[in-house]
Amino acid sequence: MVIPVHDVNPTRRTPWVTYALIAANLAVFLTMPGMADSLTGGASLAQTCRLDAFLGHWAAVPQELIHHTLPRLVPTGATGTGPQGAGCVIGPPDYDKSPELSVLTAMFLHGGWLHLLGNMLFLWIFGNNVEDRMGHLPFLLFYGVCGYAATYGFALLDPASRTPLIGASGAIAGVLGAYLVLYPRARVWVLVPFLIFLPLRLPAWLVLGLWFVLQALYSYGGAVSADAGTVAYGAHVAGFLLGMLIAVPLRRGTPPPPEPPGILFGRRARQPRQAHW
């Protein structure tokens, strides 16, 4: 419903881990079969088969995580022709896969440019302040823990699913939950689609609180979404709640954001007050 573009919340140190995570996600995305040129049109059958084989190796699969069993036949990446026409060839896997490690690798995989850029936008806006508060190494550990909790949380909701789980959104949801606890009154510039994209500066508690409510509604069937079958909303909810929980002890002593309470927009909103630490 709103698109965040910037927060008014200065940091005291360079968020090197946030930058490194964004760079790593982009680098891995460009190595995925067919993803670098996915904006040019639909994927060919050969690209689809190679991508299926790639995800079978590196993505997290709920059934594998919960039951710790691997399939006997997987896409090989090759194409072939059978009684029903052309398709992807399947065969015994030629690799050893660790379901637990696949959770980590899946955090750096994305299904398209929109998926990648949306996740990286949220990480760019909100990750720097959470890293600034936690410190570089603790933030990296926090990010990974939230990603694992989100993936396993979703897998527990659908333990028989063989649909690959990919994306950094579970870990980033944890970052959003921590930001909400640490900086609820920070101002966030957003674009609101209302005939045109209307720029507003809203409090973080409203932006992130609304985001979480929507994820929870989609996850538990309280709302209808055309993408409900392809988005792991349950993972978002699990990651967000864990991020909030971990951030609670850090709230005491967190410097307040520089902006006063209230919803501001227009010319006045472009003149932030001086921050005092």
Side-chain angles (χ1 to χ4, degrees), residues 130-165:
V130 178
E131 179 182 349
D132 187 49
R133 181 65 183 90
M134 292 184 173
H136 303 307
L137 187 58
F139 175 73
L140 180 61
L141 180 61
F142 164 82
Y143 183 92
V145 168
C146 288
Y148 266 82
T151 302
Y152 272 97
F154 181 82
L156 288 172
L157 295 175
D158 192 4
S161 174
R162 289 212 48 80
T163 301
L165 296 177

Side-chain angles (χ1 to χ4, degrees), residues 126 129-131 133-134 139 142 146 171-184 208 239-248 250-251 254:
F126 300 106
N129 291 104
V130 178
E131 179 182 349
R133 181 65 183 90
M134 292 184 173
F139 175 73
F142 164 82
C146 288
I172 295 172
V175 174
L176 303 186
Y179 193 101
L180 178 61
V181 169
L182 296 173
Y183 306 103
L208 299 180
F240 192 94
L241 291 176
L242 181 61
M244 291 185 67
L245 183 64
I246 294 176
V248 167
L250 299 175
R251 185 171 182 177
T254 299

Side-chain angles (χ1 to χ4, degrees), residues 80-115:
T81 303
Q84 298 180 349
C88 300
V89 176
I90 61 174
D94 59 356
Y95 52 82
D96 293 325
K97 180 179 180 180
S98 167
E100 294 80 9
L101 185 59
S102 71
V103 178
L104 177 61
T105 56
M107 282 190 238
F108 295 90
L109 308 179
H110 290 83
W113 281 104
L114 185 62
H115 188 202

Side-chain angles (χ1 to χ4, degrees), residues 217-242:
L217 288 175
Y218 287 134
S219 176
Y220 293 105
V224 177
S225 169
D227 295 328
T230 59
V231 180
Y233 293 107
H236 301 172
V237 172
F240 192 94
L241 291 176
L242 181 61

